């Protein structure tokens, strides 16, 4: 009888932890003391570009592996604009993708941003680790790439991509361009006025836009 009561007590404590404590943990905006994506200033994405990372003009980034394959990811500025939580829709491994074809879709509710491929190639590997709780600032080889691609005609593509200081300067120009457009599209005077005065782009601002503004942003910035 005593053993049964002890067992029931343990079960009750586990159930209390699951049903009472889990919701509080989920509501906490940090994990191990680190801010979740979309909660930090978007300007932090401007100056963070590790050595060896190329920026194609498609809001993607690429790193060339020693075997010639490419690791491809999405520019962290886009994740910050969408804001946490978000979903990342990927193509399956083994699929061939053409340059300019849809490569990744970042989903926020019913809306999506379509990011297009910077080159043609075969998807050799898909990284499923990157999700709405990934480090949106990270451009590290280990965690934030989405695809490993076996490229076609890479010798003709890489010379058009940006690296080093030119890549950082491109990102800064895009940040200013995005801020100007969002100041015109943002609903409500507060975020628009802040950006118009040279302030930060609010993290997750795309979630505040209506469908028409979202479509206009995607068409103008991503060329869709």
């Amino acid at each position: 009888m005593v053993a049964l009561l002890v067992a029931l007590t343990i079960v009750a404590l586990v159930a209390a932890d699951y049903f009472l404590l889990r919701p509080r943990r989920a509501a906490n905006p940090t994990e191990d003391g680190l801010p979740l994506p979309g909660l930090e200033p978007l300007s932090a994405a401007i100056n963070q570009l590790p050595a060896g990372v190329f920026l194609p003009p498609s809001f993607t980034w690429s790193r060339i592996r020693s075997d010639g394959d490419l690791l491809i990811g999405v520019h962290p500025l886009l994740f910050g604009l969408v804001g946490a939580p978000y979903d990342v829709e990927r193509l399956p491994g083994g699929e061939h993708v053409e340059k300019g074809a849809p490569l990744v879709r970042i989903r926020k509710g019913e809306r999506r941003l379509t990011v297009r491929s910077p080159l043609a190639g075969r998807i050799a590997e898909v990284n499923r680790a990157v999700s709405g709780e990934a480090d949106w600032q990270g451009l590290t080889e280990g965690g934030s790439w989405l695809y490993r691609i076996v490229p076609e005609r890479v010798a003709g593509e890489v010379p058009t991509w940006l690296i080093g200081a030119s890549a950082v300067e491109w990102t800064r120009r895009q940040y200013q361009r995005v801020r100007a457009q969002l100041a015109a599209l943002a609903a409500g005077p507060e975020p628009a006025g802040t950006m118009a005065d040279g302030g930060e782009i609010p993290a997750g601002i795309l979630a505040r836009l209506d469908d028409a503004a979202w479509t206009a942003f995607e068409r103008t910035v991503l060329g869709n």
Side-chain angles (χ1 to χ4, degrees):
M1 185 64 179
V2 173
L4 178 60
L5 290 174
V6 170
L8 291 175
T9 301
I10 293 174
V11 170
L13 290 174
V14 171
D17 177 78
Y18 184 84
F19 290 106
L20 297 178
L21 299 182
R22 272 181 75 92
R24 296 178 186 175
R25 291 169 184 161
N28 194 330
T30 63
E31 185 71 23
D32 296 330
L34 298 177
L36 291 181
L39 299 181
E40 296 187 9
L42 298 190
S43 59
I46 293 178
N47 298 313
Q48 295 188 0
L49 187 66
V53 168
F54 291 88
L55 291 187
S58 58
F59 278 92
T60 58
W61 64 267
S62 178
R63 188 190 297 273
I64 303 176
R65 289 168 33 119
S66 59
D67 59 5
D69 291 354
L70 298 179
L71 297 180
I72 302 289
V74 171
H75 197 293
L77 184 58
L78 288 186
F79 289 132
L81 290 170
V82 172
Y86 54 82
D87 294 314
V88 181
E89 298 178 357
R90 306 163 179 83
L91 298 175
E95 186 162 328
H96 182 273
V97 63
E98 292 290 343
K99 180 179 179 179
L103 183 68
V104 180
R105 287 188 172 92
I106 307 171
R107 188 174 73 240
K108 181 79 168 180
E110 297 301 318
R111 300 187 180 116
R112 292 171 174 81
L113 284 183
T114 299
V115 182
R116 299 186 177 272
S117 178
L119 82 170
R122 177 179 60 84
I123 298 175
E125 186 179 357
V126 181
N127 183 6
R128 299 288 178 183
V130 178
S131 65
E133 294 187 0
D135 176 13
W136 66 267
Q137 293 187 65
L139 287 176
T140 60
E141 181 172 335
S144 60
W145 60 274
L146 297 177
Y147 299 103
R148 177 169 62 86
I149 292 182
V150 181
E152 299 175 4
R153 302 179 298 276
V154 66
E157 299 291 351
V158 172
T160 67
W161 297 352
L162 304 170
I163 192 170
S166 60
V168 172
E169 180 58 30
W170 180 88
T171 299
R172 289 172 177 165
R173 291 198 306 269
Q174 296 307 309
Y175 181 89
Q176 299 300 331
R177 174 189 171 207
V178 167
R179 182 170 61 183
Q181 182 176 11
L182 289 176
L185 293 175
E190 182 177 348
T194 298
M195 288 185 290
D197 292 337
E200 286 275 0
I201 301 175
I205 188 174
L206 288 181
R208 309 183 193 182
L209 302 184
D210 58 22
D211 290 345
W214 185 284
T215 300
F217 173 84
E218 187 179 41
R219 182 181 63 251
T220 304
V221 175
L222 299 180
N224 297 330

